[in-house]
Amino acid sequence: MKLAKLPDRTPAKMSIVLAPSLAKRLREYADFYAETYGSREEVAELIPFMLAAFLDSDAAFKKMRIGGASSSSGRE
């Protein structure tokens, strides 16, 4: 079979506590998103995609995941 077994797609729910200033910035970002795309999305709907984009753009993290670097950055 050419198709590999599908990965686990069970959503994981996580709760976080945000500083008021960050919560405000996220609401502003959701407003900016709505202005840009003409479609309002809740902050909670945007956050998973924002986090994925952040992780995908972190070169050091990508390198570590493919085994090119140790899990320690050497910082203390």
Side-chain angles (χ1 to χ4, degrees), residues 43-54:
V43 171
E45 295 296 321
L46 295 174
I47 288 173
F49 295 96
M50 294 167 73
L51 289 172
F54 173 82

Side-chain angles (χ1 to χ4, degrees), residues 7-69:
D8 182 8
R9 292 164 288 158
T10 305
K13 184 169 182 159
M14 302 178 99
S15 298
I16 61 170
V17 177
L18 304 173
S21 60
L22 179 56
K24 181 178 185 274
R25 289 173 59 200
L26 288 169
R27 287 190 298 273
E28 291 169 348
Y29 193 88
D31 292 341
F32 178 56
Y33 179 94
E35 290 172 14
T36 301
Y37 295 110
S39 165
R40 178 150 306 276
E41 298 289 345
E42 294 297 321
V43 171
E45 295 296 321
L46 295 174
I47 288 173
F49 295 96
M50 294 167 73
L51 289 172
F54 173 82
L55 293 173
D56 290 346
S57 69
D58 188 320
F61 181 64
K62 277 193 237 180
K63 187 175 180 182
M64 183 277 303
R65 288 194 72 207
I66 61 171

